Structures are given as C-alpha cells and as structure tokens.
Amino acid sequence: MSAFSRFTPLVQSLPATVPFVGPEAIERQRGRQIAARIGANESGFGPADSVLLAIQRAAGETWKYADPENYDLRHALAAHLGASPAHIAVGEGIDGLLGQIVRLVVEQGTPVVTSLGGYPTFNYHVAGHGGRLVTVPFVDDREDLDGLLAAVRREAAPLVYFANPDNPMGSWWPAERVIEFAAALPETTLLILDEAYCETAPLEALPSIESLIDRPNVIRTRTFSKAYGLAGARVGYALTTPGTAQAFDKIRNHFGMNRIGVAAAIAALSDQQYLKDVTQRIAASRDRIAGIARDSGLLPLSSATNFVAVDCGRDAVYARAVVDRLMSDHGVFVRMPGVSPLNRCIRISTGPDAEMELLGAALPAVLRSLTGG
Ligand SMILES: Cc1ncc(COP(=O)(O)O)c(C=O)c1O
C-alpha cells in the first residue's frame, strides 16, 4: 500500500492498530450480530431517563460548538466533588485525557511505568508519543504498588499509570495505600490515578478529594462512560491542582467536546438517585455473573467494577476458545485480558437481565462443547 513518504519516523515506526477491536468490527468479522453486548465495560443499563431528555433538548442546539471553557460542566463537577472548577479539566473521555497527559510529559524514549496487562489505551498513547513502556507484573491479580514505585525509582520515570479499581481484573487497593503510594513518588513523577470505575467501587477504595488535590504530580481521571451509562457521549475529566489542570489548556482540542455529550453529563450529575439505583443493579449483576461462573465450575474474582474477571482454570488458549465460542455460537460478546497469567480469565461486563439470561445459557453450553462433556 502506498502512503505519504514524509510522515515522522515515529509514525512510520508505529503499527496501524487500535488498542481494542470494537464490537462492531467483531460483528463484521464474524458475520454475526451481537446478542449480548457484555464485553466492553459499557453500561447496558443505559443513562437515566432525565439524561435522555437532556440529550433530546440539546439535540436542536447541536449546530453550536460546545463552550470551549466547559464552564457549566466544570462548575457542576466542582459542586459535586467539593473542589473548585480550577481543579478540573474536561476531555473526550479518559482515553482522550490520557493522550493529552502523555503528550504533556513524554518525549522520544521517555520511560513510562505501568502494569503489565494494564489498560492498553494508555500504552497506545505512550507508544504514539515515542515513550518507552516499563511494565510491572500484577501480583495475585492486583496491580503491584511496591513494584510500580520501585520501577519509577529505578528508571527515574516522569510518568506512572495506575488504575484503581483496575481493568482487567477488577481488583482494588484501599485509599490509604493509594495515598501512601502517591506520597512516596518523587515530585518529578506524575501519577495518573485512573478512577474510571470509582462509582462502582467501595468507598474505602477512594481517597478523599482533599487527600490528593494539592499534589501537582497527581491527576485523577474519571468518566461518564461507566456507571453513568454514557460511553458514546465521550465525556471524562481530570482532577488535579489548578496549575496542572491549566497545562491541558496548552494542548487540548478546545472545541473537542461534544455539545450533546456535555449536556448529558451535566444532567447525569444532577440525577444522583439514578446513579444510586444503577450501581445497585451493577452490583446485583456482578453477583449474577459470579453465580453463573460458579455454576459452570469457574472461579469469579471479586470485583469493584462493572465487570467480573472469571478464572477459567486453564491456559490462555482455553480462555480464548471460551471467548470465541461465546461469540461465534451464541452472539455473546465478552473479552479477556491480554497477558499471562491474567489471560487465564475471561472478562464479562455487567448488564440487564436479558443479557445475563443469554450468558447463563451460553456459558455452560460453550464449556460442554470445549470439554466434550
Ligand atoms: C481503566 C479504564 N480507563 C479508562 C477507560 C475509558 O474511559 P473513557 O470511555 O472515558 O475513555 C476504561 C474503559 O474501559 C477503563 O477501563
């Protein structure tokens, strides 16, 4: 294939990949519709009715760009979190913010520390900016805070990424350990504390806002994609000191926010009753997935997120076969971790009863077909 010859050497060296093959691409590849979309950690419960109304109202205004200062959303977030708007930067989902943070810190060859098997989109951005990933294995299916700290010190790394709760295993560290970890980092190392799943996590997993808000080298990232049910709206935010938050203004796409998405996020924040209800439904669905897994002789790992990692008890080849057969034979879309030993597991997102029924029927059938039982 011929391509323009004057792309940068970095771009020329990169593979043309995306971190995740999307469910729509999987449908096209398999020539089969997805019946249960429980693989991408979206929320099949959807957003609140009040949010859908706000989206309808905003639709007629979509000829207007969104406010480039994101004034209303930042003020609504500040009121919700007990911070000031200056502490908040808004972006196109956490994924967009991760790209911006990497751009702020990473140059060619910069060492960047993360967990082996941690969130792949972060790695994608690091590679895209020429950084050198330094990975630390999970220990007992949890991110290894001591290992991450040791790697930061050894490499004098200016950037470290840690998700709490984490994807893909759904595990979490208590707030005190997270705060200790942040305090132990050199001031010249920026911590991305990715809290994509904060709404579904136990309170003990979440450092208070005050505990980290004065640290210029800590950015907490959060999203409306998970519990709020707005993955397609692409709204996320970063919480940090006003000085660090301002750095985003130097590089961000000022008209990058989707006006309808911003309206949806503001409405979602003001419907905390829905959030309360939906997080209960997510927790019940986690229990249901765990029960379905156990009934099939598999081991569900405990989870603080909107998904459950299920240990299939064998190797990655077997787990891959389970994932493939769920999709090809039953239209049940799930995913699995990318590296050993995490990839003995499959990862199933929570969802409404209809999806859980399909999973409950498909999983035992797939296991029987694979083991000849
Ligand atoms: C740990 C983690 N961070 C970020 C994201 C993406 O969030 P957003 O939709 O806001 O880009 C995900 C989604 O799966 C995730 O698991």
Side-chain angles (χ1 to χ4, degrees):
M1 263 194 301
S2 63
F4 176 58
S5 58
R6 187 51 185 78
F7 287 132
T8 64
L10 171 60
V11 166
Q12 293 192 37
S13 74
L14 294 170
T17 52
V18 291
F20 291 104
V21 179
E24 290 79 9
I26 291 174
E27 284 182 327
R28 287 189 291 274
Q29 284 165 9
R30 304 285 174 101
R32 181 177 179 134
Q33 292 281 107
I34 289 173
R37 184 164 164 141
I38 47 175
N41 301 343
E42 300 153 328
S43 181
F45 300 109
D49 288 342
S50 58
V51 172
L52 294 175
L53 261 177
I55 288 173
Q56 276 168 20
R57 268 190 238 114
E61 304 240 297
T62 199
W63 58 273
K64 299 178 184 168
Y65 292 111
D67 168 17
E69 291 176 17
N70 298 302
Y71 183 94
D72 292 342
L73 178 55
R74 286 173 46 246
H75 277 74
L77 281 166
H80 176 67
L81 297 166
S84 89
H87 287 108
I88 294 161
V90 166
E92 305 94 319
I94 293 178
D95 285 358
L97 290 162
L98 291 177
Q100 293 172 19
I101 298 168
V102 169
R103 182 170 165 204
L104 287 168
V105 177
V106 172
E107 295 172 297
Q108 188 71 35
T110 302
V112 177
V113 174
T114 187
S115 296
L116 180 64
Y119 188 54
T121 306
F122 176 68
N123 303 357
Y124 168 81
H125 286 306
V126 172
H129 286 85
R132 179 169 59 84
L133 273 176
V134 177
T135 55
V136 176
F138 278 57
V139 172
D140 296 332
D141 295 328
R142 272 214 285 196
E143 297 202 49
D144 176 9
L145 288 178
D146 294 335
L148 290 169
L149 186 59
V152 163
R153 289 186 175 143
R154 191 183 66 238
E155 302 280 342
L159 185 60
V160 57
Y161 171 90
F162 163 55
N164 196 51
D166 87 273
N167 180 6
M169 303 312 271
S171 69
W172 57 277
W173 283 99
E176 314 82 74
R177 284 288 282 122
V178 178
I179 294 168
E180 253 173 55
F181 175 68
L185 288 169
E187 282 174 11
T188 48
T189 301
L190 180 67
L191 167 63
I192 301 175
L193 174 59
D194 186 343
E195 297 181 318
Y197 300 99
C198 62
E199 293 87 5
T200 55
L203 279 182
E204 309 90 87
L206 301 179
S208 66
I209 298 300
E210 310 80 64
S211 62
L212 295 174
I213 199 83
D214 292 328
R215 290 190 179 276
N217 67 332
V218 176
I219 299 180
R220 302 169 80 166
T221 53
R222 296 184 171 188
T223 182
F224 287 87
S225 297
K226 305 300 173 185
Y228 287 108
L230 287 169
R234 311 306 303 132
V235 186
Y237 60 97
L239 192 59
T240 182
T241 58
T244 300
Q246 241 177 27
F248 288 89
D249 289 338
K250 300 181 181 182
I251 56 149
R252 71 192 171 89
N253 181 6
H254 289 87
F255 291 102
M257 297 306 293
N258 168 341
R259 190 178 177 100
I260 299 175
V262 170
I266 293 170
L269 269 184
S270 70
D271 195 340
Q272 289 298 308
Q273 185 56 46
Y274 179 78
L275 185 70
K276 209 166 151 209
D277 295 345
V278 84
T279 49
Q280 280 168 7
R281 294 170 75 191
I282 289 169
S285 177
R286 277 195 312 237
D287 291 346
R288 180 120 183 239
I289 294 169
I292 291 169
R294 269 191 224 101
D295 289 347
S296 286
L298 307 182
L299 180 69
L301 308 191
S302 101
S303 168
T305 63
N306 70 349
F307 62 84
V308 179
V310 173
D311 185 343
C312 294
R314 299 199 196 179
D315 59 7
V317 176
Y318 183 70
R320 168 57 58 204
V322 175
V323 169
D324 284 347
R325 284 291 187 87
L326 280 171
M327 178 59 204
S328 55
D329 297 356
H330 301 272
V332 173
F333 161 60
V334 303
R335 282 206 170 110
M336 64 182 283
V339 302
S340 174
L342 315 182
N343 59 7
R344 67 189 194 287
C345 297
I346 61 174
R347 199 198 66 185
I348 307 171
S349 308
T350 53
D353 286 344
E355 277 74 3
M356 294 299 111
E357 298 287 326
L358 289 172
L359 176 72
L363 187 62
V366 163
L367 297 178
R368 270 196 307 276
S369 75
L370 286 172
T371 55

mmCIF file with all atom_site columns, all heavy atoms in Angstrom, residues 19-37:
data_model
loop_
_atom_site.group_PDB
_atom_site.id
_atom_site.type_symbol
_atom_site.label_atom_id
_atom_site.label_alt_id
_atom_site.label_comp_id
_atom_site.label_asym_id
_atom_site.label_entity_id
_atom_site.label_seq_id
_atom_site.pdbx_PDB_ins_code
_atom_site.Cartn_x
_atom_site.Cartn_y
_atom_site.Cartn_z
_atom_site.occupancy
_atom_site.B_iso_or_equiv
_atom_site.pdbx_formal_charge
_atom_site.auth_seq_id
_atom_site.auth_comp_id
_atom_site.auth_asym_id
_atom_site.auth_atom_id
_atom_site.pdbx_PDB_model_num
ATOM 1   N N   . PRO A 1 19 ? -6.131  -0.109  20.081 1.00 0.00 ? 19 PRO A N   1
ATOM 2   C CA  . PRO A 1 19 ? -5.933  -0.957  21.257 1.00 0.00 ? 19 PRO A CA  1
ATOM 3   C C   . PRO A 1 19 ? -7.022  -2.018  21.410 1.00 0.00 ? 19 PRO A C   1
ATOM 4   O O   . PRO A 1 19 ? -6.771  -3.093  21.930 1.00 0.00 ? 19 PRO A O   1
ATOM 5   C CB  . PRO A 1 19 ? -5.973  0.027   22.422 1.00 0.00 ? 19 PRO A CB  1
ATOM 6   C CG  . PRO A 1 19 ? -5.921  1.390   21.844 1.00 0.00 ? 19 PRO A CG  1
ATOM 7   C CD  . PRO A 1 19 ? -6.245  1.306   20.396 1.00 0.00 ? 19 PRO A CD  1
ATOM 8   N N   . PHE A 1 20 ? -8.209  -1.718  20.975 1.00 0.00 ? 20 PHE A N   1
ATOM 9   C CA  . PHE A 1 20 ? -9.297  -2.688  21.106 1.00 0.00 ? 20 PHE A CA  1
ATOM 10  C C   . PHE A 1 20 ? -9.975  -2.875  19.751 1.00 0.00 ? 20 PHE A C   1
ATOM 11  O O   . PHE A 1 20 ? -10.252 -1.888  19.075 1.00 0.00 ? 20 PHE A O   1
ATOM 12  C CB  . PHE A 1 20 ? -10.379 -2.176  22.072 1.00 0.00 ? 20 PHE A CB  1
ATOM 13  C CG  . PHE A 1 20 ? -9.948  -2.123  23.489 1.00 0.00 ? 20 PHE A CG  1
ATOM 14  C CD1 . PHE A 1 20 ? -9.634  -0.919  24.084 1.00 0.00 ? 20 PHE A CD1 1
ATOM 15  C CD2 . PHE A 1 20 ? -9.871  -3.284  24.249 1.00 0.00 ? 20 PHE A CD2 1
ATOM 16  C CE1 . PHE A 1 20 ? -9.237  -0.858  25.410 1.00 0.00 ? 20 PHE A CE1 1
ATOM 17  C CE2 . PHE A 1 20 ? -9.482  -3.232  25.573 1.00 0.00 ? 20 PHE A CE2 1
ATOM 18  C CZ  . PHE A 1 20 ? -9.161  -2.021  26.157 1.00 0.00 ? 20 PHE A CZ  1
ATOM 19  N N   . VAL A 1 21 ? -10.263 -4.108  19.423 1.00 0.00 ? 21 VAL A N   1
ATOM 20  C CA  . VAL A 1 21 ? -11.125 -4.341  18.260 1.00 0.00 ? 21 VAL A CA  1
ATOM 21  C C   . VAL A 1 21 ? -12.558 -4.142  18.773 1.00 0.00 ? 21 VAL A C   1
ATOM 22  O O   . VAL A 1 21 ? -12.995 -4.820  19.696 1.00 0.00 ? 21 VAL A O   1
ATOM 23  C CB  . VAL A 1 21 ? -10.942 -5.773  17.714 1.00 0.00 ? 21 VAL A CB  1
ATOM 24  C CG1 . VAL A 1 21 ? -11.864 -5.992  16.513 1.00 0.00 ? 21 VAL A CG1 1
ATOM 25  C CG2 . VAL A 1 21 ? -9.486  -6.012  17.344 1.00 0.00 ? 21 VAL A CG2 1
ATOM 26  N N   . GLY A 1 22 ? -13.258 -3.189  18.191 1.00 0.00 ? 22 GLY A N   1
ATOM 27  C CA  . GLY A 1 22 ? -14.582 -2.835  18.698 1.00 0.00 ? 22 GLY A CA  1
ATOM 28  C C   . GLY A 1 22 ? -15.607 -3.916  18.423 1.00 0.00 ? 22 GLY A C   1
ATOM 29  O O   . GLY A 1 22 ? -15.444 -4.724  17.503 1.00 0.00 ? 22 GLY A O   1
ATOM 30  N N   . PRO A 1 23 ? -16.688 -3.907  19.199 1.00 0.00 ? 23 PRO A N   1
ATOM 31  C CA  . PRO A 1 23 ? -17.736 -4.903  18.989 1.00 0.00 ? 23 PRO A CA  1
ATOM 32  C C   . PRO A 1 23 ? -18.334 -4.865  17.574 1.00 0.00 ? 23 PRO A C   1
ATOM 33  O O   . PRO A 1 23 ? -18.659 -5.912  17.022 1.00 0.00 ? 23 PRO A O   1
ATOM 34  C CB  . PRO A 1 23 ? -18.809 -4.550  20.032 1.00 0.00 ? 23 PRO A CB  1
ATOM 35  C CG  . PRO A 1 23 ? -18.269 -3.448  20.860 1.00 0.00 ? 23 PRO A CG  1
ATOM 36  C CD  . PRO A 1 23 ? -16.908 -3.064  20.377 1.00 0.00 ? 23 PRO A CD  1
ATOM 37  N N   . GLU A 1 24 ? -18.417 -3.662  16.996 1.00 0.00 ? 24 GLU A N   1
ATOM 38  C CA  . GLU A 1 24 ? -18.973 -3.590  15.636 1.00 0.00 ? 24 GLU A CA  1
ATOM 39  C C   . GLU A 1 24 ? -18.045 -4.299  14.652 1.00 0.00 ? 24 GLU A C   1
ATOM 40  O O   . GLU A 1 24 ? -18.501 -5.007  13.741 1.00 0.00 ? 24 GLU A O   1
ATOM 41  C CB  . GLU A 1 24 ? -19.166 -2.128  15.201 1.00 0.00 ? 24 GLU A CB  1
ATOM 42  C CG  . GLU A 1 24 ? -20.281 -1.384  15.937 1.00 0.00 ? 24 GLU A CG  1
ATOM 43  C CD  . GLU A 1 24 ? -19.880 -0.910  17.333 1.00 0.00 ? 24 GLU A CD  1
ATOM 44  O OE1 . GLU A 1 24 ? -18.675 -1.005  17.693 1.00 0.00 ? 24 GLU A OE1 1
ATOM 45  O OE2 . GLU A 1 24 ? -20.767 -0.464  18.080 1.00 0.00 ? 24 GLU A OE2 1
ATOM 46  N N   . ALA A 1 25 ? -16.715 -4.119  14.854 1.00 0.00 ? 25 ALA A N   1
ATOM 47  C CA  . ALA A 1 25 ? -15.757 -4.794  13.967 1.00 0.00 ? 25 ALA A CA  1
ATOM 48  C C   . ALA A 1 25 ? -15.855 -6.308  14.152 1.00 0.00 ? 25 ALA A C   1
ATOM 49  O O   . ALA A 1 25 ? -15.760 -7.069  13.183 1.00 0.00 ? 25 ALA A O   1
ATOM 50  C CB  . ALA A 1 25 ? -14.343 -4.304  14.257 1.00 0.00 ? 25 ALA A CB  1
ATOM 51  N N   . ILE A 1 26 ? -16.066 -6.734  15.385 1.00 0.00 ? 26 ILE A N   1
ATOM 52  C CA  . ILE A 1 26 ? -16.195 -8.174  15.648 1.00 0.00 ? 26 ILE A CA  1
ATOM 53  C C   . ILE A 1 26 ? -17.431 -8.720  14.925 1.00 0.00 ? 26 ILE A C   1
ATOM 54  O O   . ILE A 1 26 ? -17.387 -9.774  14.292 1.00 0.00 ? 26 ILE A O   1
ATOM 55  C CB  . ILE A 1 26 ? -16.251 -8.442  17.167 1.00 0.00 ? 26 ILE A CB  1
ATOM 56  C CG1 . ILE A 1 26 ? -14.879 -8.126  17.775 1.00 0.00 ? 26 ILE A CG1 1
ATOM 57  C CG2 . ILE A 1 26 ? -16.665 -9.885  17.471 1.00 0.00 ? 26 ILE A CG2 1
ATOM 58  C CD1 . ILE A 1 26 ? -14.822 -8.198  19.289 1.00 0.00 ? 26 ILE A CD1 1
ATOM 59  N N   . GLU A 1 27 ? -18.519 -7.967  14.979 1.00 0.00 ? 27 GLU A N   1
ATOM 60  C CA  . GLU A 1 27 ? -19.730 -8.400  14.250 1.00 0.00 ? 27 GLU A CA  1
ATOM 61  C C   . GLU A 1 27 ? -19.432 -8.540  12.759 1.00 0.00 ? 27 GLU A C   1
ATOM 62  O O   . GLU A 1 27 ? -19.833 -9.514  12.130 1.00 0.00 ? 27 GLU A O   1
ATOM 63  C CB  . GLU A 1 27 ? -20.863 -7.374  14.437 1.00 0.00 ? 27 GLU A CB  1
ATOM 64  C CG  . GLU A 1 27 ? -21.528 -7.461  15.796 1.00 0.00 ? 27 GLU A CG  1
ATOM 65  C CD  . GLU A 1 27 ? -22.682 -6.456  15.942 1.00 0.00 ? 27 GLU A CD  1
ATOM 66  O OE1 . GLU A 1 27 ? -22.588 -5.358  15.362 1.00 0.00 ? 27 GLU A OE1 1
ATOM 67  O OE2 . GLU A 1 27 ? -23.654 -6.787  16.649 1.00 0.00 ? 27 GLU A OE2 1
ATOM 68  N N   . ARG A 1 28 ? -18.717 -7.557  12.213 1.00 0.00 ? 28 ARG A N   1
ATOM 69  C CA  . ARG A 1 28 ? -18.432 -7.625  10.771 1.00 0.00 ? 28 ARG A CA  1
ATOM 70  C C   . ARG A 1 28 ? -17.523 -8.804  10.459 1.00 0.00 ? 28 ARG A C   1
ATOM 71  O O   . ARG A 1 28 ? -17.752 -9.545  9.510  1.00 0.00 ? 28 ARG A O   1
ATOM 72  C CB  . ARG A 1 28 ? -17.775 -6.311  10.302 1.00 0.00 ? 28 ARG A CB  1
ATOM 73  C CG  . ARG A 1 28 ? -18.748 -5.140  10.231 1.00 0.00 ? 28 ARG A CG  1
ATOM 74  C CD  . ARG A 1 28 ? -18.126 -3.931  9.551  1.00 0.00 ? 28 ARG A CD  1
ATOM 75  N NE  . ARG A 1 28 ? -17.067 -3.300  10.341 1.00 0.00 ? 28 ARG A NE  1
ATOM 76  C CZ  . ARG A 1 28 ? -17.272 -2.364  11.285 1.00 0.00 ? 28 ARG A CZ  1
ATOM 77  N NH1 . ARG A 1 28 ? -18.486 -1.949  11.544 1.00 0.00 ? 28 ARG A NH1 1
ATOM 78  N NH2 . ARG A 1 28 ? -16.249 -1.845  11.947 1.00 0.00 ? 28 ARG A NH2 1
ATOM 79  N N   . GLN A 1 29 ? -16.483 -8.992  11.323 1.00 0.00 ? 29 GLN A N   1
ATOM 80  C CA  . GLN A 1 29 ? -15.545 -10.098 11.064 1.00 0.00 ? 29 GLN A CA  1
ATOM 81  C C   . GLN A 1 29 ? -16.246 -11.447 11.122 1.00 0.00 ? 29 GLN A C   1
ATOM 82  O O   . GLN A 1 29 ? -15.968 -12.340 10.341 1.00 0.00 ? 29 GLN A O   1
ATOM 83  C CB  . GLN A 1 29 ? -14.427 -10.101 12.112 1.00 0.00 ? 29 GLN A CB  1
ATOM 84  C CG  . GLN A 1 29 ? -13.377 -9.038  11.901 1.00 0.00 ? 29 GLN A CG  1
ATOM 85  C CD  . GLN A 1 29 ? -12.501 -8.844  13.147 1.00 0.00 ? 29 GLN A CD  1
ATOM 86  O OE1 . GLN A 1 29 ? -12.572 -9.612  14.104 1.00 0.00 ? 29 GLN A OE1 1
ATOM 87  N NE2 . GLN A 1 29 ? -11.668 -7.817  13.117 1.00 0.00 ? 29 GLN A NE2 1
ATOM 88  N N   . ARG A 1 30 ? -17.144 -11.597 12.110 1.00 0.00 ? 30 ARG A N   1
ATOM 89  C CA  . ARG A 1 30 ? -17.783 -12.907 12.303 1.00 0.00 ? 30 ARG A CA  1
ATOM 90  C C   . ARG A 1 30 ? -19.027 -13.089 11.454 1.00 0.00 ? 30 ARG A C   1
ATOM 91  O O   . ARG A 1 30 ? -19.599 -14.170 11.431 1.00 0.00 ? 30 ARG A O   1
ATOM 92  C CB  . ARG A 1 30 ? -18.213 -13.077 13.764 1.00 0.00 ? 30 ARG A CB  1
ATOM 93  C CG  . ARG A 1 30 ? -17.119 -12.923 14.773 1.00 0.00 ? 30 ARG A CG  1
ATOM 94  C CD  . ARG A 1 30 ? -16.221 -14.151 14.774 1.00 0.00 ? 30 ARG A CD  1
ATOM 95  N NE  . ARG A 1 30 ? -15.088 -13.925 15.648 1.00 0.00 ? 30 ARG A NE  1
ATOM 96  C CZ  . ARG A 1 30 ? -14.992 -14.402 16.871 1.00 0.00 ? 30 ARG A CZ  1
ATOM 97  N NH1 . ARG A 1 30 ? -15.927 -15.163 17.356 1.00 0.00 ? 30 ARG A NH1 1
ATOM 98  N NH2 . ARG A 1 30 ? -13.932 -14.133 17.606 1.00 0.00 ? 30 ARG A NH2 1
ATOM 99  N N   . GLY A 1 31 ? -19.493 -11.985 10.873 1.00 0.00 ? 31 GLY A N   1
ATOM 100 C CA  . GLY A 1 31 ? -20.746 -12.074 10.130 1.00 0.00 ? 31 GLY A CA  1
ATOM 101 C C   . GLY A 1 31 ? -21.889 -12.459 11.047 1.00 0.00 ? 31 GLY A C   1
ATOM 102 O O   . GLY A 1 31 ? -22.810 -13.178 10.653 1.00 0.00 ? 31 GLY A O   1
ATOM 103 N N   . ARG A 1 32 ? -21.816 -11.991 12.288 1.00 0.00 ? 32 ARG A N   1
ATOM 104 C CA  . ARG A 1 32 ? -22.866 -12.358 13.243 1.00 0.00 ? 32 ARG A CA  1
ATOM 105 C C   . ARG A 1 32 ? -23.175 -11.171 14.151 1.00 0.00 ? 32 ARG A C   1
ATOM 106 O O   . ARG A 1 32 ? -22.264 -10.497 14.640 1.00 0.00 ? 32 ARG A O   1
ATOM 107 C CB  . ARG A 1 32 ? -22.359 -13.544 14.075 1.00 0.00 ? 32 ARG A CB  1
ATOM 108 C CG  . ARG A 1 32 ? -23.379 -13.986 15.057 1.00 0.00 ? 32 ARG A CG  1
ATOM 109 C CD  . ARG A 1 32 ? -23.078 -15.164 15.900 1.00 0.00 ? 32 ARG A CD  1
ATOM 110 N NE  . ARG A 1 32 ? -24.262 -15.277 16.736 1.00 0.00 ? 32 ARG A NE  1
ATOM 111 C CZ  . ARG A 1 32 ? -24.912 -16.365 16.987 1.00 0.00 ? 32 ARG A CZ  1
ATOM 112 N NH1 . ARG A 1 32 ? -24.498 -17.504 16.522 1.00 0.00 ? 32 ARG A NH1 1
ATOM 113 N NH2 . ARG A 1 32 ? -25.990 -16.344 17.741 1.00 0.00 ? 32 ARG A NH2 1
ATOM 114 N N   . GLN A 1 33 ? -24.442 -10.943 14.389 1.00 0.00 ? 33 GLN A N   1
ATOM 115 C CA  . GLN A 1 33 ? -24.856 -9.863  15.280 1.00 0.00 ? 33 GLN A CA  1
ATOM 116 C C   . GLN A 1 33 ? -24.558 -10.232 16.727 1.00 0.00 ? 33 GLN A C   1
ATOM 117 O O   . GLN A 1 33 ? -24.717 -11.401 17.102 1.00 0.00 ? 33 GLN A O   1
ATOM 118 C CB  . GLN A 1 33 ? -26.368 -9.652  15.181 1.00 0.00 ? 33 GLN A CB  1
ATOM 119 C CG  . GLN A 1 33 ? -26.846 -9.102  13.867 1.00 0.00 ? 33 GLN A CG  1
ATOM 120 C CD  . GLN A 1 33 ? -26.617 -7.602  13.796 1.00 0.00 ? 33 GLN A CD  1
ATOM 121 O OE1 . GLN A 1 33 ? -25.726 -7.160  13.073 1.00 0.00 ? 33 GLN A OE1 1
ATOM 122 N NE2 . GLN A 1 33 ? -27.378 -6.831  14.545 1.00 0.00 ? 33 GLN A NE2 1
ATOM 123 N N   . ILE A 1 34 ? -24.199 -9.256  17.506 1.00 0.00 ? 34 ILE A N   1
ATOM 124 C CA  . ILE A 1 34 ? -24.049 -9.482  18.941 1.00 0.00 ? 34 ILE A CA  1
ATOM 125 C C   . ILE A 1 34 ? -25.439 -9.497  19.582 1.00 0.00 ? 34 ILE A C   1
ATOM 126 O O   . ILE A 1 34 ? -26.246 -8.596  19.345 1.00 0.00 ? 34 ILE A O   1
ATOM 127 C CB  . ILE A 1 34 ? -23.170 -8.378  19.563 1.00 0.00 ? 34 ILE A CB  1
ATOM 128 C CG1 . ILE A 1 34 ? -21.712 -8.569  19.111 1.00 0.00 ? 34 ILE A CG1 1
ATOM 129 C CG2 . ILE A 1 34 ? -23.280 -8.385  21.085 1.00 0.00 ? 34 ILE A CG2 1
ATOM 130 C CD1 . ILE A 1 34 ? -20.784 -7.446  19.516 1.00 0.00 ? 34 ILE A CD1 1
ATOM 131 N N   . ALA A 1 35 ? -25.686 -10.518 20.384 1.00 0.00 ? 35 ALA A N   1
ATOM 132 C CA  . ALA A 1 35 ? -26.978 -10.613 21.091 1.00 0.00 ? 35 ALA A CA  1
ATOM 133 C C   . ALA A 1 35 ? -26.843 -10.069 22.515 1.00 0.00 ? 35 ALA A C   1
ATOM 134 O O   . ALA A 1 35 ? -27.768 -9.458  23.052 1.00 0.00 ? 35 ALA A O   1
ATOM 135 C CB  . ALA A 1 35 ? -27.446 -12.062 21.125 1.00 0.00 ? 35 ALA A CB  1
ATOM 136 N N   . ALA A 1 36 ? -25.690 -10.305 23.115 1.00 0.00 ? 36 ALA A N   1
ATOM 137 C CA  . ALA A 1 36 ? -25.431 -9.791  24.473 1.00 0.00 ? 36 ALA A CA  1
ATOM 138 C C   . ALA A 1 36 ? -24.114 -9.023  24.424 1.00 0.00 ? 36 ALA A C   1
ATOM 139 O O   . ALA A 1 36 ? -23.044 -9.614  24.272 1.00 0.00 ? 36 ALA A O   1
ATOM 140 C CB  . ALA A 1 36 ? -25.358 -10.925 25.479 1.00 0.00 ? 36 ALA A CB  1
ATOM 141 N N   . ARG A 1 37 ? -24.212 -7.701  24.525 1.00 0.00 ? 37 ARG A N   1
ATOM 142 C CA  . ARG A 1 37 ? -23.016 -6.850  24.418 1.00 0.00 ? 37 ARG A CA  1
ATOM 143 C C   . ARG A 1 37 ? -22.464 -6.643  25.818 1.00 0.00 ? 37 ARG A C   1
ATOM 144 O O   . ARG A 1 37 ? -22.737 -5.650  26.472 1.00 0.00 ? 37 ARG A O   1
ATOM 145 C CB  . ARG A 1 37 ? -23.419 -5.543  23.739 1.00 0.00 ? 37 ARG A CB  1
ATOM 146 C CG  . ARG A 1 37 ? -22.258 -4.606  23.481 1.00 0.00 ? 37 ARG A CG  1
ATOM 147 C CD  . ARG A 1 37 ? -22.680 -3.543  22.487 1.00 0.00 ? 37 ARG A CD  1
ATOM 148 N NE  . ARG A 1 37 ? -21.757 -2.433  22.480 1.00 0.00 ? 37 ARG A NE  1
ATOM 149 C CZ  . ARG A 1 37 ? -21.374 -1.773  21.387 1.00 0.00 ? 37 ARG A CZ  1
ATOM 150 N NH1 . ARG A 1 37 ? -21.855 -2.118  20.214 1.00 0.00 ? 37 ARG A NH1 1
ATOM 151 N NH2 . ARG A 1 37 ? -20.539 -0.763  21.465 1.00 0.00 ? 37 ARG A NH2 1
#
